[in-house]
PDB file of all heavy atoms in Angstrom:
ATOM      1  N   LEU B 136     -68.465 -39.159 -23.348  1.00 98.00           N
ATOM      2  CA  LEU B 136     -69.608 -39.704 -24.070  1.00 98.00           C
ATOM      3  C   LEU B 136     -70.590 -40.221 -22.988  1.00 98.00           C
ATOM      4  O   LEU B 136     -70.209 -41.023 -22.090  1.00 98.00           O
ATOM      5  CB  LEU B 136     -69.125 -40.872 -24.962  1.00 98.00           C
ATOM      6  CG  LEU B 136     -70.171 -41.382 -25.927  1.00 98.00           C
ATOM      7  CD1 LEU B 136     -70.476 -40.353 -27.002  1.00 98.00           C
ATOM      8  CD2 LEU B 136     -69.688 -42.680 -26.599  1.00 98.00           C
ATOM      9  N   LYS B 137     -71.810 -39.755 -23.081  1.00 97.00           N
ATOM     10  CA  LYS B 137     -72.850 -40.164 -22.138  1.00 97.00           C
ATOM     11  C   LYS B 137     -74.191 -39.848 -22.759  1.00 97.00           C
ATOM     12  O   LYS B 137     -74.239 -39.065 -23.691  1.00 97.00           O
ATOM     13  CB  LYS B 137     -72.664 -39.430 -20.800  1.00 97.00           C
ATOM     14  CG  LYS B 137     -72.716 -37.951 -20.890  1.00 97.00           C
ATOM     15  CD  LYS B 137     -72.507 -37.347 -19.509  1.00 97.00           C
ATOM     16  CE  LYS B 137     -72.430 -35.809 -19.581  1.00 97.00           C
ATOM     17  NZ  LYS B 137     -72.227 -35.202 -18.313  1.00 97.00           N
ATOM     18  N   PRO B 138     -75.309 -40.391 -22.200  1.00 97.00           N
ATOM     19  CA  PRO B 138     -76.602 -40.212 -22.833  1.00 97.00           C
ATOM     20  C   PRO B 138     -76.910 -38.715 -23.006  1.00 97.00           C
ATOM     21  O   PRO B 138     -77.461 -38.303 -24.004  1.00 97.00           O
ATOM     22  CB  PRO B 138     -77.531 -40.867 -21.849  1.00 97.00           C
ATOM     23  CG  PRO B 138     -76.734 -41.971 -21.282  1.00 97.00           C
ATOM     24  CD  PRO B 138     -75.391 -41.359 -21.122  1.00 97.00           C
ATOM     25  N   GLY B 139     -76.543 -37.871 -22.006  1.00 95.00           N
ATOM     26  CA  GLY B 139     -76.832 -36.433 -22.121  1.00 95.00           C
ATOM     27  C   GLY B 139     -76.102 -35.704 -23.255  1.00 95.00           C
ATOM     28  O   GLY B 139     -76.478 -34.631 -23.652  1.00 95.00           O
ATOM     29  N   ASN B 140     -75.077 -36.353 -23.782  1.00 96.00           N
ATOM     30  CA  ASN B 140     -74.302 -35.779 -24.862  1.00 96.00           C
ATOM     31  C   ASN B 140     -74.596 -36.394 -26.251  1.00 96.00           C
ATOM     32  O   ASN B 140     -73.802 -36.310 -27.168  1.00 96.00           O
ATOM     33  CB  ASN B 140     -72.797 -35.802 -24.619  1.00 96.00           C
ATOM     34  CG  ASN B 140     -72.419 -34.765 -23.544  1.00 96.00           C
ATOM     35  OD1 ASN B 140     -73.174 -33.810 -23.248  1.00 96.00           O
ATOM     36  ND2 ASN B 140     -71.296 -35.023 -22.849  1.00 96.00           N
ATOM     37  N   ILE B 141     -75.700 -37.133 -26.300  1.00 98.00           N
ATOM     38  CA  ILE B 141     -76.056 -37.830 -27.567  1.00 98.00           C
ATOM     39  C   ILE B 141     -77.469 -37.411 -27.921  1.00 98.00           C
ATOM     40  O   ILE B 141     -78.397 -37.535 -27.103  1.00 98.00           O
ATOM     41  CB  ILE B 141     -76.006 -39.334 -27.407  1.00 98.00           C
ATOM     42  CG1 ILE B 141     -74.534 -39.742 -27.112  1.00 98.00           C
ATOM     43  CG2 ILE B 141     -76.480 -40.014 -28.704  1.00 98.00           C
ATOM     44  CD1 ILE B 141     -74.382 -41.158 -26.663  1.00 98.00           C
ATOM     45  N   ILE B 142     -77.685 -36.874 -29.145  1.00 97.00           N
ATOM     46  CA  ILE B 142     -78.955 -36.553 -29.625  1.00 97.00           C
ATOM     47  C   ILE B 142     -79.301 -37.505 -30.740  1.00 97.00           C
ATOM     48  O   ILE B 142     -78.563 -37.715 -31.656  1.00 97.00           O
ATOM     49  CB  ILE B 142     -79.018 -35.060 -30.101  1.00 97.00           C
ATOM     50  CG1 ILE B 142     -78.759 -34.127 -28.934  1.00 97.00           C
ATOM     51  CG2 ILE B 142     -80.358 -34.750 -30.786  1.00 97.00           C
ATOM     52  CD1 ILE B 142     -78.610 -32.708 -29.313  1.00 97.00           C
ATOM     53  N   LEU B 143     -80.488 -38.114 -30.578  1.00 97.00           N
ATOM     54  CA  LEU B 143     -80.993 -38.983 -31.674  1.00 97.00           C
ATOM     55  C   LEU B 143     -81.792 -38.156 -32.594  1.00 97.00           C
ATOM     56  O   LEU B 143     -82.893 -37.716 -32.309  1.00 97.00           O
ATOM     57  CB  LEU B 143     -81.859 -40.108 -31.023  1.00 97.00           C
ATOM     58  CG  LEU B 143     -81.120 -40.976 -29.991  1.00 97.00           C
ATOM     59  CD1 LEU B 143     -82.124 -41.861 -29.250  1.00 97.00           C
ATOM     60  CD2 LEU B 143     -80.004 -41.770 -30.590  1.00 97.00           C
ATOM     61  N   ALA B 144     -81.237 -37.898 -33.753  1.00 97.00           N
ATOM     62  CA  ALA B 144     -81.838 -37.018 -34.778  1.00 97.00           C
ATOM     63  C   ALA B 144     -82.264 -37.817 -35.967  1.00 97.00           C
ATOM     64  O   ALA B 144     -81.891 -38.999 -36.084  1.00 97.00           O
ATOM     65  CB  ALA B 144     -80.853 -35.946 -35.158  1.00 97.00           C
ATOM     66  N   ASP B 145     -83.001 -37.165 -36.880  1.00 95.00           N
ATOM     67  CA  ASP B 145     -83.421 -37.927 -38.075  1.00 95.00           C
ATOM     68  C   ASP B 145     -82.221 -38.372 -38.907  1.00 95.00           C
ATOM     69  O   ASP B 145     -82.276 -39.351 -39.585  1.00 95.00           O
ATOM     70  CB  ASP B 145     -84.302 -37.049 -38.930  1.00 95.00           C
ATOM     71  CG  ASP B 145     -85.716 -36.914 -38.319  1.00 95.00           C
ATOM     72  OD1 ASP B 145     -86.040 -37.668 -37.440  1.00 95.00           O
ATOM     73  OD2 ASP B 145     -86.405 -35.969 -38.690  1.00 95.00           O
ATOM     74  N   ARG B 146     -81.150 -37.579 -38.861  1.00 95.00           N
ATOM     75  CA  ARG B 146     -79.969 -37.965 -39.682  1.00 95.00           C
ATOM     76  C   ARG B 146     -79.031 -38.878 -38.953  1.00 95.00           C
ATOM     77  O   ARG B 146     -77.920 -39.169 -39.412  1.00 95.00           O
ATOM     78  CB  ARG B 146     -79.204 -36.622 -40.008  1.00 95.00           C
ATOM     79  CG  ARG B 146     -78.556 -35.991 -38.797  1.00 95.00           C
ATOM     80  CD  ARG B 146     -78.078 -34.545 -39.198  1.00 95.00           C
ATOM     81  NE  ARG B 146     -77.120 -33.983 -38.332  1.00 95.00           N
ATOM     82  CZ  ARG B 146     -77.101 -32.711 -37.969  1.00 95.00           C
ATOM     83  NH1 ARG B 146     -78.063 -31.903 -38.342  1.00 95.00           N
ATOM     84  NH2 ARG B 146     -76.157 -32.306 -37.160  1.00 95.00           N
ATOM     85  N   GLY B 147     -79.412 -39.418 -37.780  1.00 96.00           N
ATOM     86  CA  GLY B 147     -78.602 -40.376 -37.024  1.00 96.00           C
ATOM     87  C   GLY B 147     -78.219 -39.735 -35.721  1.00 96.00           C
ATOM     88  O   GLY B 147     -78.761 -38.748 -35.279  1.00 96.00           O
ATOM     89  N   ALA B 148     -77.256 -40.387 -35.017  1.00 97.00           N
ATOM     90  CA  ALA B 148     -76.850 -39.882 -33.715  1.00 97.00           C
ATOM     91  C   ALA B 148     -75.941 -38.653 -33.897  1.00 97.00           C
ATOM     92  O   ALA B 148     -75.132 -38.666 -34.801  1.00 97.00           O
ATOM     93  CB  ALA B 148     -76.118 -40.913 -32.903  1.00 97.00           C
ATOM     94  N   VAL B 149     -76.168 -37.623 -33.088  1.00 98.00           N
ATOM     95  CA  VAL B 149     -75.289 -36.439 -33.115  1.00 98.00           C
ATOM     96  C   VAL B 149     -74.672 -36.285 -31.739  1.00 98.00           C
ATOM     97  O   VAL B 149     -75.318 -36.319 -30.727  1.00 98.00           O
ATOM     98  CB  VAL B 149     -76.112 -35.186 -33.494  1.00 98.00           C
ATOM     99  CG1 VAL B 149     -75.196 -33.938 -33.488  1.00 98.00           C
ATOM    100  CG2 VAL B 149     -76.789 -35.354 -34.824  1.00 98.00           C
ATOM    101  N   LEU B 150     -73.343 -36.154 -31.727  1.00 98.00           N
ATOM    102  CA  LEU B 150     -72.573 -35.986 -30.449  1.00 98.00           C
ATOM    103  C   LEU B 150     -72.405 -34.556 -30.180  1.00 98.00           C
ATOM    104  O   LEU B 150     -72.084 -33.724 -31.072  1.00 98.00           O
ATOM    105  CB  LEU B 150     -71.234 -36.682 -30.549  1.00 98.00           C
ATOM    106  CG  LEU B 150     -71.229 -38.103 -31.085  1.00 98.00           C
ATOM    107  CD1 LEU B 150     -69.815 -38.661 -31.110  1.00 98.00           C
ATOM    108  CD2 LEU B 150     -72.129 -38.967 -30.207  1.00 98.00           C
ATOM    109  N   ILE B 151     -72.624 -34.124 -28.885  1.00 96.00           N
ATOM    110  CA  ILE B 151     -72.475 -32.719 -28.575  1.00 96.00           C
ATOM    111  C   ILE B 151     -71.547 -32.599 -27.342  1.00 96.00           C
ATOM    112  O   ILE B 151     -71.188 -33.609 -26.744  1.00 96.00           O
ATOM    113  CB  ILE B 151     -73.810 -32.029 -28.263  1.00 96.00           C
ATOM    114  CG1 ILE B 151     -74.513 -32.819 -27.070  1.00 96.00           C
ATOM    115  CG2 ILE B 151     -74.744 -32.029 -29.452  1.00 96.00           C
ATOM    116  CD1 ILE B 151     -75.763 -32.027 -26.505  1.00 96.00           C
ATOM    117  N   ASP B 152     -71.187 -31.372 -27.053  1.00 94.00           N
ATOM    118  CA  ASP B 152     -70.342 -31.007 -25.878  1.00 94.00           C
ATOM    119  C   ASP B 152     -68.936 -31.576 -25.931  1.00 94.00           C
ATOM    120  O   ASP B 152     -68.632 -32.664 -25.509  1.00 94.00           O
ATOM    121  CB  ASP B 152     -71.054 -31.468 -24.576  1.00 94.00           C
ATOM    122  CG  ASP B 152     -70.436 -30.692 -23.400  1.00 94.00           C
ATOM    123  OD1 ASP B 152     -69.339 -30.122 -23.571  1.00 94.00           O
ATOM    124  OD2 ASP B 152     -71.064 -30.679 -22.277  1.00 94.00           O
ATOM    125  N   PHE B 153     -68.051 -30.771 -26.509  1.00 96.00           N
ATOM    126  CA  PHE B 153     -66.658 -31.252 -26.729  1.00 96.00           C
ATOM    127  C   PHE B 153     -65.717 -30.524 -25.768  1.00 96.00           C
ATOM    128  O   PHE B 153     -64.568 -30.380 -25.994  1.00 96.00           O
ATOM    129  CB  PHE B 153     -66.246 -30.937 -28.200  1.00 96.00           C
ATOM    130  CG  PHE B 153     -67.076 -31.778 -29.158  1.00 96.00           C
ATOM    131  CD1 PHE B 153     -68.224 -31.386 -29.636  1.00 96.00           C
ATOM    132  CD2 PHE B 153     -66.624 -33.066 -29.450  1.00 96.00           C
ATOM    133  CE1 PHE B 153     -68.994 -32.177 -30.522  1.00 96.00           C
ATOM    134  CE2 PHE B 153     -67.346 -33.920 -30.231  1.00 96.00           C
ATOM    135  CZ  PHE B 153     -68.535 -33.433 -30.802  1.00 96.00           C
ATOM    136  N   GLY B 154     -66.266 -30.137 -24.604  1.00 92.00           N
ATOM    137  CA  GLY B 154     -65.495 -29.419 -23.581  1.00 92.00           C
ATOM    138  C   GLY B 154     -64.415 -30.239 -22.932  1.00 92.00           C
ATOM    139  O   GLY B 154     -63.506 -29.698 -22.313  1.00 92.00           O
ATOM    140  N   LEU B 155     -64.524 -31.543 -23.038  1.00 94.00           N
ATOM    141  CA  LEU B 155     -63.461 -32.415 -22.432  1.00 94.00           C
ATOM    142  C   LEU B 155     -62.713 -33.162 -23.515  1.00 94.00           C
ATOM    143  O   LEU B 155     -61.828 -33.987 -23.219  1.00 94.00           O
ATOM    144  CB  LEU B 155     -64.085 -33.490 -21.463  1.00 94.00           C
ATOM    145  CG  LEU B 155     -64.598 -32.952 -20.102  1.00 94.00           C
ATOM    146  CD1 LEU B 155     -64.987 -34.136 -19.237  1.00 94.00           C
ATOM    147  CD2 LEU B 155     -63.545 -32.114 -19.413  1.00 94.00           C
ATOM    148  N   ALA B 156     -63.012 -32.897 -24.760  1.00 96.00           N
ATOM    149  CA  ALA B 156     -62.441 -33.645 -25.857  1.00 96.00           C
ATOM    150  C   ALA B 156     -60.963 -33.395 -26.061  1.00 96.00           C
ATOM    151  O   ALA B 156     -60.408 -32.401 -25.517  1.00 96.00           O
ATOM    152  CB  ALA B 156     -63.199 -33.343 -27.156  1.00 96.00           C
ATOM    153  N   HIS B 157     -60.321 -34.235 -26.833  1.00 95.00           N
ATOM    154  CA  HIS B 157     -58.937 -34.112 -27.159  1.00 95.00           C
ATOM    155  C   HIS B 157     -58.679 -34.304 -28.649  1.00 95.00           C
ATOM    156  O   HIS B 157     -59.166 -35.289 -29.233  1.00 95.00           O
ATOM    157  CB  HIS B 157     -58.049 -35.072 -26.367  1.00 95.00           C
ATOM    158  CG  HIS B 157     -56.595 -35.092 -26.772  1.00 95.00           C
ATOM    159  ND1 HIS B 157     -55.854 -33.925 -26.695  1.00 95.00           N
ATOM    160  CD2 HIS B 157     -55.808 -35.995 -27.300  1.00 95.00           C
ATOM    161  CE1 HIS B 157     -54.594 -34.179 -27.112  1.00 95.00           C
ATOM    162  NE2 HIS B 157     -54.563 -35.446 -27.536  1.00 95.00           N
ATOM    163  N   HIS B 158     -57.960 -33.356 -29.307  1.00 95.00           N
ATOM    164  CA  HIS B 158     -57.660 -33.489 -30.719  1.00 95.00           C
ATOM    165  C   HIS B 158     -56.173 -33.836 -30.790  1.00 95.00           C
ATOM    166  O   HIS B 158     -55.283 -33.222 -30.212  1.00 95.00           O
ATOM    167  CB  HIS B 158     -57.843 -32.135 -31.410  1.00 95.00           C
ATOM    168  CG  HIS B 158     -57.790 -32.245 -32.937  1.00 95.00           C
ATOM    169  ND1 HIS B 158     -56.613 -32.626 -33.583  1.00 95.00           N
ATOM    170  CD2 HIS B 158     -58.693 -31.986 -33.886  1.00 95.00           C
ATOM    171  CE1 HIS B 158     -56.862 -32.597 -34.876  1.00 95.00           C
ATOM    172  NE2 HIS B 158     -58.083 -32.253 -35.078  1.00 95.00           N
ATOM    173  N   GLU B 159     -55.915 -34.964 -31.555  1.00 92.00           N
ATOM    174  CA  GLU B 159     -54.599 -35.543 -31.617  1.00 92.00           C
ATOM    175  C   GLU B 159     -53.490 -34.515 -31.983  1.00 92.00           C
ATOM    176  O   GLU B 159     -52.361 -34.680 -31.599  1.00 92.00           O
ATOM    177  CB  GLU B 159     -54.645 -36.677 -32.642  1.00 92.00           C
ATOM    178  CG  GLU B 159     -53.379 -37.452 -32.803  1.00 92.00           C
ATOM    179  CD  GLU B 159     -53.570 -38.418 -34.013  1.00 92.00           C
ATOM    180  OE1 GLU B 159     -54.259 -39.414 -33.786  1.00 92.00           O
ATOM    181  OE2 GLU B 159     -53.072 -38.157 -35.088  1.00 92.00           O
ATOM    182  N   GLU B 160     -53.897 -33.561 -32.817  1.00 92.00           N
ATOM    183  CA  GLU B 160     -52.825 -32.642 -33.328  1.00 92.00           C
ATOM    184  C   GLU B 160     -52.732 -31.333 -32.605  1.00 92.00           C
ATOM    185  O   GLU B 160     -51.965 -30.430 -32.983  1.00 92.00           O
ATOM    186  CB  GLU B 160     -53.133 -32.396 -34.853  1.00 92.00           C
ATOM    187  CG  GLU B 160     -52.959 -33.584 -35.682  1.00 92.00           C
ATOM    188  CD  GLU B 160     -53.562 -33.434 -37.069  1.00 92.00           C
ATOM    189  OE1 GLU B 160     -54.153 -32.412 -37.332  1.00 92.00           O
ATOM    190  OE2 GLU B 160     -53.418 -34.355 -37.863  1.00 92.00           O
ATOM    191  N   LEU B 161     -53.517 -31.161 -31.543  1.00 92.00           N
ATOM    192  CA  LEU B 161     -53.577 -29.879 -30.817  1.00 92.00           C
ATOM    193  C   LEU B 161     -53.087 -30.063 -29.394  1.00 92.00           C
ATOM    194  O   LEU B 161     -53.201 -31.161 -28.830  1.00 92.00           O
ATOM    195  CB  LEU B 161     -54.962 -29.320 -30.852  1.00 92.00           C
ATOM    196  CG  LEU B 161     -55.485 -28.965 -32.276  1.00 92.00           C
ATOM    197  CD1 LEU B 161     -56.884 -28.485 -32.151  1.00 92.00           C
ATOM    198  CD2 LEU B 161     -54.597 -27.930 -32.958  1.00 92.00           C
ATOM    199  N   PRO B 162     -52.616 -29.013 -28.791  1.00 90.00           N
ATOM    200  CA  PRO B 162     -52.200 -29.080 -27.386  1.00 90.00           C
ATOM    201  C   PRO B 162     -53.388 -29.521 -26.516  1.00 90.00           C
ATOM    202  O   PRO B 162     -54.510 -29.033 -26.783  1.00 90.00           O
ATOM    203  CB  PRO B 162     -51.759 -27.677 -27.032  1.00 90.00           C
ATOM    204  CG  PRO B 162     -51.586 -26.925 -28.294  1.00 90.00           C
ATOM    205  CD  PRO B 162     -52.375 -27.626 -29.339  1.00 90.00           C
ATOM    206  N   ASP B 163     -53.140 -30.363 -25.575  1.00 89.00           N
ATOM    207  CA  ASP B 163     -54.213 -30.739 -24.665  1.00 89.00           C
ATOM    208  C   ASP B 163     -54.244 -29.807 -23.481  1.00 89.00           C
ATOM    209  O   ASP B 163     -53.586 -30.023 -22.440  1.00 89.00           O
ATOM    210  CB  ASP B 163     -54.055 -32.176 -24.189  1.00 89.00           C
ATOM    211  CG  ASP B 163     -55.270 -32.696 -23.392  1.00 89.00           C
ATOM    212  OD1 ASP B 163     -56.239 -31.918 -23.286  1.00 89.00           O
ATOM    213  OD2 ASP B 163     -55.191 -33.781 -22.865  1.00 89.00           O
ATOM    214  N   LEU B 164     -55.027 -28.721 -23.603  1.00 86.00           N
ATOM    215  CA  LEU B 164     -54.990 -27.655 -22.583  1.00 86.00           C
ATOM    216  C   LEU B 164     -55.544 -28.171 -21.260  1.00 86.00           C
ATOM    217  O   LEU B 164     -55.109 -27.691 -20.190  1.00 86.00           O
ATOM    218  CB  LEU B 164     -55.884 -26.474 -23.013  1.00 86.00           C
ATOM    219  CG  LEU B 164     -55.527 -25.870 -24.451  1.00 86.00           C
ATOM    220  CD1 LEU B 164     -56.498 -24.811 -24.799  1.00 86.00           C
ATOM    221  CD2 LEU B 164     -54.089 -25.290 -24.350  1.00 86.00           C
ATOM    222  N   LEU B 165     -56.407 -29.174 -21.245  1.00 85.00           N
ATOM    223  CA  LEU B 165     -56.991 -29.674 -20.013  1.00 85.00           C
ATOM    224  C   LEU B 165     -55.985 -30.547 -19.248  1.00 85.00           C
ATOM    225  O   LEU B 165     -56.112 -30.627 -18.037  1.00 85.00           O
ATOM    226  CB  LEU B 165     -58.289 -30.439 -20.325  1.00 85.00           C
ATOM    227  CG  LEU B 165     -59.496 -29.540 -20.609  1.00 85.00           C
ATOM    228  CD1 LEU B 165     -60.541 -30.296 -21.325  1.00 85.00           C
ATOM    229  CD2 LEU B 165     -60.017 -28.952 -19.310  1.00 85.00           C
TER     230      LEU B 165
END
Side-chain angles (χ1 to χ4, degrees):
Chain B
L136 191 69
K137 59 179 175 182
N140 287 338
I141 298 167
I142 295 174
L143 303 170
D145 286 345
R146 67 193 198 220
V149 179
L150 309 180
I151 60 170
D152 198 344
F153 294 90
L155 287 188
H157 174 59
H158 191 299
E159 182 187 284
E160 294 167 355
L161 298 177
D163 187 5
L164 304 175
L165 283 160

